[in-house]
Amino acid sequence: MSGLLTRWIPAAVFLLLFSVVFSAETEVEFFEKKVRPVLAANCYKCHSVESKKLKGDLLLDHIESVKKGGDSGPAVVPGDLEKSLLIETIRYKNIDMQMPPNGKLPDDEIAVLEKWVTMGAPWPDEPVPVAGNRESFDWKARKAAHWCWQPITAAEPPAASKDEGWDQPIDRFIRAKQSEKGLSPAAAADPRTWIRRVTLDLTGLPPSVADVDAFMDDNEEDAKERVVDRLLASPRFGERWARHWLDLVRYAESCGHEFDYNLNGAHGYRDYVIRAFNANVPYDDLLREHVAGDLLESPRRHPEEDFNESVMGTGFWFLHEAVHAPTDVRKDEAERMDNQIDVFSKTFLGLTVSCARCHDHKFDAIPTSDYYAIAGYLQSSRMDQAMLDPGGRIAAAAAKLKTLRERAQAPQETIINTLAAAHGVDSWKPPAKKEEVEEIDLLEKPAAADIVFEDFESGYDGWKVEGKAFRDRPSTGTEDRQQEVKGFFGKGLVNSYTGEGASRDEPIGRMTSAAFTIERDFVHLLVGGGYHEGTTCVNLLVEGKPVRTAVGRGETDRELLSSRSWNVEEFKGRKAQIEIVDQQKGHWGHINADHIVFSNTADIKPDGASPADEKNRKAIEALAAKFKVSSAAISQVVDSPTNDKKHSLYVWHRLRNAKDLPAERERLATELTSQEMAFAASLEKGLPIPLKQCLMSGEAFGEGPGADGVMRSGRLSNKLQGVLRTPTFELTGDVWCRVRAQKAEIRLIIDNYMMQPFNGLLFGGTRTHNLDTKGQWQWHKLGSSMYHGHRAYLEFNDRNDGFIEISHIVHGARPAEPPNPVSLAVARDESVTDADSLFKSIAKALKQTGHAADLGNNPAIAEEIAKLETSIPGPRTALAMTDGTGEDEFVFIRGSHKNLGEVAPRRLLVAIAGEDQPSHQTGSGRLELAERMLDPSNPFPARVMVNRLWHHLFGRGIVPTVDDFGEMGQPPSHPELLDWLANDFRRDWDIKRALKQITLSATYAQSSAPSAVTASGIDTKDPDNVYLHRMPIRRLQAEAIRDSVLAVSGRLDTRMYGGPVAVHLTSFQGGRGRPGSGPLDGSGRRSIYLSVRRNFMSSFLKTYDSPTPFSTMGRRSVSNVPAQALVMMNDPFVVAEAKRWGAEVAKQEGEADAKISAIYQRALAREPSSVELEKASAFVAAQSEALGKAPNSPEVWSDLCHVVFNLKEFIYLP
Amino acid sequence: MKHHCQTFQTRALSRREMLRKTSIGFGGVALSALLNDKAFGAAPGPTAAGPKNPLAPKQPHFTPRAKHVIFLYMDGGPSQVDFFDYKPLLEKYNGQDPRSVMGKLEPTQFNNIGKVLKSPWKFKQYGESGLWVSDLFPHIAELADELCVIKSMTSKFSEHTFANYFLHTGSGFQGRPSMGAWMGYGLGSENQNLPGFVVLNGGLTPPGGLDNFGSGFLPAAYQGSVFGTGSTPVANIKRQENSDEAQRRKLDLVRDLDVGQLKKIGSVDKLESAITNYETAYRMQSEVPELMDLDGESEATKKLYGLDAEFNNTKTFARQCLIARRLVERGVRFIELTCPGGNGDRWDQHGGLVEGHEKNAKSVDQPIAGLIRDLKARGLLDDTLILWSGEFGRTPFAQGGNGRDHNPWGFSNFLCGGGIKGGMTYGETDEFGYKAIHNKVEMHDLHATMLHLLGVDHTQSTYRFSGRDMRLTDVHGHVIHDIIA
């Protein structure tokens, strides 16, 4: 209390003083003379009713407005400098809030405003200036005013037209509008034009000569229908229409930015889209799968390979750019979400929700809260590489493993027998007779295991290396110009034959190991190379002095490393080092060394196993046979450390030979109980993250934590893979995970930032990969003080044949070590009085704590498990979204993540689904979002999709701005037709049926030449052919041009799916992250299979407007530039394909005219006219003469083929 | 086929006018007449309906001060306090902890904050204006009275790629049109045989890749064409046939057959444009190599730029600068030069500031000075706006021991020629050269000013995309009138 008072009194006195010193009049005088001029000169351009554009919704021209403030809150809190944002901004200390924007005010003016605020911000009594026409945002009024929000009307087609064949609903709408505008339809296109048009539109490839001929010979009424059916059934259809779809989702296979890192799993999404279009997945399902395919109760499965297809749709969310090392990761997340929202809303709703990021939409009925309502779904979701299980084989194996594990662990007897066998005691009954046990001289003096001190497999860690002879890393064998080096172990060894040129023996040096204490009787090592005492040698230094030395052999085969042994018993307990010396230049001036081992046995076998080991092995096998248990399990017990309190068998070592077992057990119980209490207390200090609430994917973690609360990914088998993710939490300190792991990865994902595997910059300490705790439990720390206050979650990855076990996750200080649960259970088990009860108790505890499998496996079943494990396939992974913790996002005031407004509950746009949408109870709520989108009251999905189909078939949508139905888009040319199509489409959401309907219409079958009736008036009546008084001439899209070249040249390879084919890069395409260049012809594969690396796009395709993948691009630009001519004239790809085709033409039978005709039919689906034939023949003759080649030579025909590729007709569809 | 600089085309005939004149419609004769007329296709720009030549010259909003831009892009972020922003206080506090001297520091890219680091180079005042320049730029320093150094530049990003996109396109993200593309969109090109936006690649492609020079949502015609410095500077410019005649025969047949088809279909703008593109492409095949051939340049000119320099990268950049002048002479609107590789690193000295900055400075100093002098001597400087800029500056304190980290809060660049006042500085950073505090300039302001000098009102040059009218300056940008002569 007193503290509070002392803080408050001076402030109060201070204010009091001012009110005494300044009368109201002087205050006003001060304001008028000093304050108002500063405000007027520096602020009123943007912050007064006179402002042309009011910024930040902040007015500073009346005290009421000043106190009310703008988007960021009150500008001035009278009397409180620190709470007054106005003061904060003019002080220029906060880089995100600096005013005036062009430069800091002079210090004296800042002082004036500070003084004014301290005075209590006096302002004369004057009327509030009248605001101009500042409108408040009224989404309902906007919704009512624009066509796109209105429900789909039940439009009926107008009466059938008199024109023959114009009786389908589509045609009646089109014809009616034409009549209204005084237009007549064009004549029907020539059948060859029609089949080329429809084939390229539906498959992106030209029709084959046979297809054209068959159609020309088909006089049945349904000939066209059968062509369309055939094309829609062709696998080429999916490849064509998937590419259209990929434009919407900014499809790419790399992250762009500085190093263009790989976007893992992207091409799996591409294949999913191709399959979906070929399988004619209904559009409502396609939408559901994109928004929430991971959450569907019964997902669609691949028809042959039988894996979850639906989840793959969610991959589209993550096809955005990604950056490494953002200095503000929350801002980076905001940018990623912005792109996701942009793509999501344009693709499925044809709306630009992104425009409402910083303020209510300027034109459409979309308040800013709508933007953040959608952001909440992303905030509540996470990126995943989903684990798919083709054929359910992994799940089946897991189920079988579960049964086997239960059976394998069943015989408690086995554990008891194993312990007993290892104990080797005569008190144990039966089966061993005393003499038999004695014969097995096993445990009376257990041979201490050999210690491999150094084998030079992983660098020179711990060694001090001087001079140049040893380089900075071990050799890997024979050096350049060296005789063959043999006899070393593994891959690495010391080999100082490292010089250059003729003086390879010249470099000298010395390397010295870290100090160690001599604990074994012998040092064994391998030595070869030079044989100079003192200058090429390996020495044992005791307290710095050499006491043992070894040199090369000085015989033939000198590079052979051979075994040396030193008896070092006399030095036991003393500090020592190993020293490797090369102080010799010239002849044999180098040394080889490897595999330094400390041992208690005198001799050493080449494979490292001593004769004593061999003897033990035999003994253990005998015991195993006798006790009917596995010898591996016995070895494990025998080799378990005697003094490691963390080990599960510590209790066995400690109690089995105790003189007074019950007393020793009680002592142990006391020790461990106090350890347990210390552990529990340390956990209370941190914030535990409950393992039960973690989210699992894959099969590895099974059904969740075991009876002991531990999550184990190797519970059933190390072969199973899985990922565990914690709920999202606020990072306030280090995160400690108590884990046991092998080949595992732990990641701390902060603000959904996922790029650490590519580049750890600024994210040190947030990721551990290839974690191996060598069988021990340990506390593992993750965290970075830079990110305190951020949202985060942990991801535990077992994505290979390793495992990870997690017992505790704590947030805060490092917790204490818990007692070993086996030890604790046994120590507290009062039934333990002798060896018999000890073994039983241990067996029970091992089982209860999940360690039983280590010892007690039934050998027969273990074998069965091992066999089963070899047949478990790895999961197929897919880029996907998965649910995280459901969280609503805040509104970012003026788009700034540093300036948070109110919470925006997750929901679909208010203008679509209203203000009262039920809140989501579990997870992200994306599945409910998808259903709200598909509610019949929402007109967007159906209208937007049919409009896209129309756009691709006519080159112009009924709404030309296909991604923007809002106020800034263009209105529909045929609103009734759009609604009729939408209504018809959402009967069954059948994309192929919709396409068939349009391609079989009379509208689509028109010629591109206007009818004689219309031709004279089109300039005024329909210059842009909005009313489709003829078929528009369209240029083929980039991919269709390249694919047509391949199809016509005969190179097309129709293999589907799989990894992308590298793009052929020109020398002009450079930069960081440049991939290897691919084959010139892309291996003949269709363009959809060419790699799409953001920074290294195909220049051929780009020239023809393939889009930059940054946002939804439902309508590509169609440019018409000389660079396109240069590509067709000079690109080596086009020239090579012309050559390929020309060579084939030369080989064909027939006269020149027949060949020319064949060329025309293949490329343009028509015969040449007589004039064309004449010109082409003349060219062949002239070119033959000029080149000095026979008229039927490949060179001449290639030139004509090249000409045909360059015809406008080849890339423009009439 | 030499070009004469400053020869601007007369108002172009619209296609419709042309058709009226030729009256017989679009037969072969008329077509070939059109093909020989370079003005063909020059019509109002792409904002009007219908396929028109997107590069046809367009009327600016008001009288331009400059017709060309040469952007000397200093990739990596040169250090402002080591070139133009002289801060004696750094000497005083050299070696001290910046947090105790300068207060709270903003997050840096490498989060490895060292001590306050004074400039290793000496500063002197030059010219009548007394502009401070360090010893790193001895040649440029002599032209002090031509330069307007902006000392209060800021960027929103401290990472290269973001900042590169921001500098080039006005947005930190991939996919926006580069400023060269915007200028082509706004003004068209004076030379129909060369692209309107040429990037002369010295060897370093900036982080973010070729999208720094992209056309984004604008038509592809406006994208920057990256020219190498060799004799075949751009892809597909070289004919694959053995002789011109062999190619010509092919192209003649293509044209004959195309025109024949056109007669059947009727006149279609986009097909006509596509046909004429072939003739332009054909001419580009000779125009571009001729551009790169410096044999006709005098020895004195070559020497002026430093083509005889001992340091290889000076020669590389000298060649780029000289070609830039030749592009200006040919009417190319926007020319960007990227830095030569092989200096160890771009201007991105996180360590080894002295060696790295010296090499990079040596590469560009003489060539840039040569370019300015040469343009001036030929009367081209008045029409040519030069911008020298990195994507951000560097911290006045060290990164580690002897480097500097990225600093977007305040850095320097310079403008010259094209209606810019010479011999002045604009804006100021704080006493350490860390953050801009007076007359802060944002990228949008720089872009607005550049467009203004070209006669374009940045708020009026818009393109409808993604539900709104997009601009190079987004919804920001103020023209800095104080630096305009």
Side-chain angles (χ1 to χ4, degrees), chain B residues 33-188:
Chain B
L34 283 179
L35 295 178
N36 291 330
D37 188 325
K38 287 170 91 181
F40 172 76
T47 43
K52 300 292 190 305
N53 174 5
L55 286 173
K58 275 184 274 181
Q59 280 302 315
H61 296 125
F62 39 80
T63 313
R65 304 294 300 268
K67 296 194 171 77
H68 314 278
V69 176
I70 299 176
F71 173 23
L72 305 164
Y73 170 52
M74 296 296 117
D75 188 349
S79 166
Q80 68 281 7
V81 292
D82 295 312
F83 283 99
F84 297 109
D85 203 3
Y86 179 45
K87 295 292 174 187
L89 217 56
L90 292 179
E91 286 165 30
K92 181 175 166 196
Y93 290 109
N94 188 47
Q96 298 195 25
D97 183 343
R99 281 161 289 219
S100 62
V101 178
M102 296 162 60
K104 179 181 166 280
L105 304 182
E106 302 299 331
T108 60
Q109 180 76 93
F110 283 84
N111 196 30
N112 178 15
I113 304 206
K115 308 294 184 198
V116 172
L117 182 62
K118 68 172 183 183
S119 177
W121 294 280
K122 288 210 167 60
F123 275 79
K124 285 204 271 297
Q125 287 182 289
Y126 289 88
E128 285 178 22
S129 56
L131 211 70
W132 287 97
V133 186
S134 83
D135 289 353
L136 275 170
F137 274 169
H139 291 84
I140 292 174
E142 287 172 21
L143 295 162
D145 290 341
E146 303 288 343
L147 312 182
C148 167
V149 175
I150 299 176
K151 289 185 173 175
S152 53
M153 276 308 300
T154 59
S155 173
K156 280 198 224 166
F157 303 96
S158 8
E159 300 94 337
H160 289 295
T161 305
F162 276 128
N164 281 337
Y165 287 148
F166 192 43
L167 166 64
H168 281 85
T169 73
S171 155
F173 295 87
Q174 199 158 21
R176 298 299 185 100
S178 191
M179 57 173 130
W182 277 111
M183 289 171 198
Y185 167 69
L187 293 165

Side-chain angles (χ1 to χ4, degrees), chain A residues 8 76 140 301 322 335 382 411 427 435 687 788-789 923 1121 1211:
Chain A
W8 276 105
V76 166
K140 286 177 184 158
R301 295 188 75 83
E335 299 296 357
R382 299 165 176 180
S427 62
E435 53 274 25
L687 174 73
H788 289 179
V1121 291
I1211 61 168

Side-chain angles (χ1 to χ4, degrees), chain A residues 98 102 1033 1068 1183 1206, chain B residues 233 249 258 270 278 439-440:
Chain A
Q98 295 182 339
N102 284 339
I1033 293 180
F1068 303 96
Q1183 203 72 346
N1206 278 277
Chain B
R249 261 193 308 279
D258 278 343
K270 53 188 150 192
Y278 269 74
N439 288 330
K440 214 160 123 175

Side-chain angles (χ1 to χ4, degrees), chain B residues 402-416:
Chain B
N402 61 359
R404 296 188 191 273
D405 209 332
H406 307 164
N407 180 18
W409 319 111
F411 62 99
S412 305
N413 60 12
F414 73 73
L415 290 158
C416 154

